[in-house]
Amino acid sequence: MKTIPLLALTLTVFLISCKKEEVVDPVLSEARYTLEVTGKWKQPEFAIPASVHFTAVIGMVHNDKIEMWKENELASKGVENIAESGNPFPILTDIDMAIAAGKAISVLVITAPAPTGTSSLNIYCNSNYSYLSLETMLAPTPDWFTGISGLNLYNGNKWIKDTTINLYPWDAGTEDGDVFGYNNPASIPQQTIHLLQPSQATVLANGNPVMAPIATLRIVKQ
């Protein structure tokens, strides 16, 4: 049996140890935030239906390997359900699957804000999971919603400290109709998600030539 000299064995162990140190994940940068969603659904910017309301704001903290929704792409069934009826359960299932797959770390549920009120939630994220996505229905409408998709809170090794983002009305592209109400005909074929235009939603636009922000999202680092 060939004997390995003690010096050679020591050197081998040292080199292996060095190699292991090179592949160790870097220390994560972590952050905690307070999210504040504030409704701006008021006149004269918008018309106000009798039963005006937002639904619960559903979202997730995730990485760059997944999207909750995206402009110019088709809405998933989960996004469609929120946009049409405020039903959160299909998208909550999707988020649970994303967490199990290592693409997200948490589901976010923010109490529905009043049309001009504010609801808040504290969240945790880190440099591996620094993206934020949210969605809430504009009710009662065919398939209009507002929210944010894939906002990166960690850029250039720096966390966003305090910022407020305007949230505009979006069309999920799944139902037709320029009305305040539910049970509208399905869009055939299904259209892509796009910013809602006054010409497509005259009942909401209230005669204004452009859509104003219907809510804001303030993100404050703790």
Side-chain angles (χ1 to χ4, degrees):
M1 182 175 68
K2 185 175 180 181
T3 302
I4 300 175
L6 180 58
L7 179 60
L9 181 59
T10 302
L11 181 59
T12 300
V13 172
F14 175 76
L15 291 175
I16 292 173
S17 299
C18 289
K19 185 176 181 180
K20 286 183 178 178
E21 289 178 359
E22 290 174 358
V23 298
V24 169
D25 288 337
V27 176
L28 292 179
S29 178
E30 300 176 307
R32 296 183 183 276
Y33 284 93
T34 297
L35 307 181
E36 296 179 352
V37 180
T38 299
K40 300 291 183 181
W41 198 338
K42 57 185 176 63
Q43 294 180 330
E45 292 88 345
F46 300 99
I48 312 296
S51 54
V52 58
H53 65 282
F54 296 100
T55 58
V57 185
I58 306 298
M60 63 179 176
V61 175
H62 57 99
N63 61 23
D64 62 355
K65 307 301 181 184
I66 193 171
E67 296 164 344
M68 186 170 166
W69 58 273
K70 189 176 181 180
E71 185 176 10
N72 298 324
E73 292 190 359
L74 296 177
S76 67
K77 284 297 181 182
V79 170
E80 177 182 359
N81 271 266
I82 289 182
E84 292 182 2
S85 67
N87 175 13
F89 295 107
I91 206 162
L92 289 174
T93 298
D94 292 344
I95 295 172
D96 283 343
M97 292 174 63
I99 292 172
K103 297 179 180 180
I105 57 169
S106 62
V107 59
L108 310 179
V109 180
I110 305 174
T111 302
T116 56
T118 299
S119 290
S120 63
L121 180 72
N122 295 326
I123 68 167
Y124 163 84
C125 49
N126 61 52
S127 48
N128 285 344
Y129 296 91
S130 60
Y131 289 79
L132 176 66
S133 294
L134 300 166
E135 180 189 7
T136 178
M137 180 189 185
L138 309 181
T141 66
D143 61 341
W144 305 339
F145 71 97
T146 193
I148 197 163
S149 180
L151 174 66
N152 190 5
L153 303 177
Y154 187 68
N155 279 305
N157 297 324
K158 293 182 180 180
W159 290 101
I160 289 175
K161 291 184 178 179
D162 186 347
T163 189
T164 299
I165 298 170
N166 288 327
L167 304 181
Y168 291 89
W170 290 83
D171 189 324
T174 59
E175 280 194 354
D176 294 336
D178 183 359
V179 296
F180 285 128
Y182 308 101
N183 302 318
N184 298 280
S187 298
I188 302 176
Q190 181 178 338
Q191 303 299 302
T192 58
I193 296 170
H194 55 276
L195 280 169
L196 193 61
Q197 301 300 318
S199 60
Q200 301 169 317
T202 59
V203 295
L204 180 64
N206 201 30
N208 293 296
V210 297
M211 286 289 190
I214 202 161
T216 60
L217 172 64
R218 186 182 180 193
I219 304 168
V220 183
K221 188 174 182 294
Q222 300 304 304

